[in-house]
Amino acid sequence: METIELTFANPNNPALGGVANGREAYDKQVRPRVSRETLKGELCIRFPKRISIIGNSFIRGFARPMIDQIGLDGVRSRVHFVTSREELTAELYEGLL
């Protein structure tokens, strides 16, 4: 399983939001490391521990390219998001809708 550790510029900001910001994070940090073949298997994406808020708009922008390639069910079953808390991870998956 491929694991991608995300990084974000502002170490003091605990929140992520905005469709454009999500898409930018995907394009810069995930797209260069995944191919169609990678997405046929499992992928682990880790958010920094300091991130305690991930807006639905951010995750929609971030996940859209993967959903377009492998579908919503594919993302839910094969892409494993890891966040600082289980509740945040659950909210992240709910935000994919």
Side-chain angles (χ1 to χ4, degrees):
M1 175 179 346
E2 173 88 24
T3 298
I4 298 172
E5 302 270 349
L6 299 177
T7 60
F8 297 97
N10 185 344
N12 299 316
N13 187 359
L16 299 173
V19 173
N21 291 333
R23 185 58 182 260
E24 180 182 2
Y26 179 86
D27 287 343
K28 288 184 176 180
Q29 298 186 57
V30 179
R31 185 181 303 279
R33 297 189 51 197
V34 299
S35 65
R36 288 190 183 272
E37 291 300 313
T38 306
L39 290 175
K40 287 181 182 177
E42 294 188 30
L43 177 64
C44 177
I45 298 176
R46 293 183 177 274
F47 286 81
K49 291 198 182 290
R50 69 175 170 79
I51 299 297
S52 58
I53 301 167
I54 301 173
N56 288 344
S57 59
F58 179 89
I59 199 58
R60 275 190 240 116
F62 184 85
R64 174 54 46 200
M66 292 182 288
I67 292 171
D68 289 346
Q69 288 186 22
I70 62 173
L72 182 58
D73 289 338
V75 171
R76 287 180 179 221
S77 64
R78 296 196 307 255
V79 178
H80 306 281
F81 294 107
V82 178
T83 69
S84 59
R85 320 183 256 90
E86 288 182 29
E87 297 85 4
L88 181 59
T89 302
E91 290 171 7
L92 188 147
Y93 280 104
E94 289 172 14
L96 292 172
L97 297 176

